[in-house]
Structures are given as C-alpha cells and as structure tokens.
C-alpha cells in the first residue's frame, strides 16, 4: 500500500473504546416514561443530529433530554449519562500514531461527535496521557460539531480533503461503521472497515504491510 500517504481515523471504537449501550441504559433510567422509550428516542433524533453538526448548543441539547426526563433530573445527570459510553484510549494506539508519522504518513482524525464528548476526551487525555488534547497525536483533527459536517455525507469527506489539501486516491479512511466507509469511497478515498473485536493497530499494520 505504498501509494497511501494519508490516513484518516475515526474516533469511536477505533481510537477510543465505546460502550454505547451504557449511555442508552443510563439515559433510559432518567426518562419520565420508561414504557415509551422507543417513542422518546425517536423524538430526540433530530436533536441528536443537530447537536452532532454544531447546530444547537450544549444547553439546548441537555434541555431536550430534560424535557423527557423524570422530575428533579438535572443537567449534570444528563451529562454523566451521555458520557457513560466513553471508556478508554489505550496508550498503544496513540503510540501507533507516532510510528505512522515516523514512517512518513500524515495522520488525521475525523469524528461524528459533540462538545460534551470532546470535553470528556480532553479531560481524559490530561488525566491519563498528560496532554490537554487528543489533537496532539494527529496532523489535524476534524470534529463534526466544529466543521458542521457529519459522516457519511460526501460534504464531510470533501471538507477534509480540501482543508488538509489531500489527494483522495492517496488517502485511507479507517472506520468501524461500514456506511461511513461507503461515504468515503464515494469521493474516491480508500476505505478500511474495522470489524468489531479487531484492534486498529494490528489490523492496519497488516493492511499496510508494515
């Protein structure tokens, strides 16, 4: 894969380990109508998408959940439940970014995320890796709520290619969600679908033959 010069990494379940059902469980415990959870989450879908592209503030996002919550549920409870899915960023994955750079690759981060999760990530990085931000391990990081685009939309990948001045054919995108891989391939970026249970370091080393 010598023609690959740039590697774009997803964040969730690629760099950071996630347990999404934990957030669903914790949020459900706060809801006013436990017998109508499917309806509640359906009502919140627009809010979730808006928050992920930075169209609404933290306050509006939290208040949307509070409107569906039991009495006496407050913002910090919503934040804790929302962050429950965030588990760990293993040091060997961060070290691998340095190894890739040493081999001449440019490495980037592209995540569908939000301000509350990014705040947790940066606090985690300071606490566990003595760095105030995850961004230090990448040539540049692109977060959906800051660039106002989300995967798998073509506009999201086109934004990254243009901003970082990358050639699509020389760029590999790594994600655990196949739909996002298809979105990247639609604009000419190569895709590597990281299958659940497979670690990005060993999988990518095999893919790149390094």
């Amino acid at each position: 894969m010598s023609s690959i010069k740039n590697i774009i990494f997803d964040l969730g379940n690629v760099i950071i380990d996630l347990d999404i059902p934990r957030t669903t469980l914790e949020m459900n415990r706060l809801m006013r109508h436990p017998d109508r959870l499917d309806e509640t989450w359906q009502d919140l879908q627009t809010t979730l998408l808006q928050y992920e592209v930075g169209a609404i503030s933290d306050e509006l996002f939290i208040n949307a959940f509070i409107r569906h919550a039991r009495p006496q549920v407050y913002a910090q409870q919503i934040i804790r439940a929302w962050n429950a899915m965030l588990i760990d960023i293993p040091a060997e994955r961060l070290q691998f970014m340095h190894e890739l750079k040493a081999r001449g690759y440019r490495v980037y981060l592209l995540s569908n995320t939000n301000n509350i999760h990014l705040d947790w990530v940066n606090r985690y990085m300071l606490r566990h890796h003595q760095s105030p931000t995850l961004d230090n391990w990448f040539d540049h990081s692109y977060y959906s709520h800051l660039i106002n685009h989300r995967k798998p939309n073509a506009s999201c990948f086109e934004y990254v290619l243009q901003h970082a001045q990358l050639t699509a054919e020389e760029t590999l995108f790594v994600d655990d969600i196949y739909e996002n891989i298809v979105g990247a391939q639609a604009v000419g970026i190569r895709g590597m679908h990281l299958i659940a249970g497979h670690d990005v370091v060993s999988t990518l080393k095999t893919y790149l033959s390094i």
Side-chain angles (χ1 to χ4, degrees), residues 20-146:
I20 295 174
R22 282 185 62 186
T23 279
T24 304
L25 178 63
E26 293 301 319
M27 283 293 196
N28 286 347
R29 287 173 174 167
L30 301 177
M31 294 298 104
R32 181 185 300 116
H33 299 294
D35 56 329
R36 302 211 305 262
L37 292 174
D38 287 345
E39 180 182 331
T40 297
W41 283 103
Q42 186 61 42
D43 288 344
L44 288 164
Q45 282 307 301
T46 298
T47 296
L48 293 170
L49 291 174
Q50 289 177 329
Y51 191 47
E52 211 167 55
V53 294
I56 61 174
S57 65
D58 294 355
E59 182 179 8
L60 287 175
F61 172 77
I62 292 167
N63 286 341
F65 276 92
I66 287 177
R67 283 196 296 272
H68 288 279
R70 295 181 280 100
Q72 309 304 311
V73 168
Y74 300 105
Q76 284 304 313
Q77 292 167 275
I78 299 295
I79 292 170
R80 282 195 297 271
W82 184 238
N83 285 338
M85 69 175 77
L86 306 172
I87 305 301
D88 183 37
I89 303 175
E92 56 267 25
R93 293 179 194 164
L94 299 176
Q95 179 58 37
F96 186 49
M97 299 303 113
H98 284 313
E99 293 176 18
L100 289 170
K101 287 183 178 182
R103 289 179 176 270
Y105 294 99
R106 297 169 69 188
V107 296
Y108 300 88
L109 187 67
L110 173 59
S111 176
N112 287 350
T113 190
N114 56 82
N115 189 60
I116 292 174
H117 280 173
L118 184 57
D119 181 63
W120 184 98
V121 166
N122 288 333
R123 285 187 285 108
Y124 174 96
M125 291 300 299
L126 187 60
R127 186 166 62 251
H128 294 278
H129 299 293
Q130 294 73 55
S131 172
T133 175
L134 178 61
D135 300 350
N136 289 340
W137 273 263
F138 298 90
D139 287 283
H140 198 86
S141 298
Y142 298 94
Y143 302 106
S144 61
H145 69 293
L146 297 180

Side-chain angles (χ1 to χ4, degrees), residues 139-206:
D139 287 283
H140 198 86
S141 298
Y142 298 94
Y143 302 106
S144 61
H145 69 293
L146 297 180
I147 67 174
N148 309 123
H149 297 280
R150 70 184 300 278
K151 302 172 290 184
N153 297 339
S155 63
C156 184
F157 297 103
E158 289 167 347
Y159 179 96
V160 173
L161 291 175
Q162 181 176 3
H163 185 273
Q165 298 184 320
L166 307 180
T167 300
E169 295 77 13
E170 297 175 344
T171 303
L172 176 69
F173 174 59
V174 183
D175 201 300
D176 66 312
I177 299 176
Y178 185 68
E179 180 185 18
N180 294 336
I181 296 296
V182 173
Q185 291 172 332
V187 301
I189 297 173
R190 302 188 194 190
M192 192 190 88
H193 182 212
L194 187 64
I195 305 298
H198 292 239
D199 183 71
V200 66
V201 175
S202 57
T203 302
L204 191 52
K205 282 183 175 181
T206 299

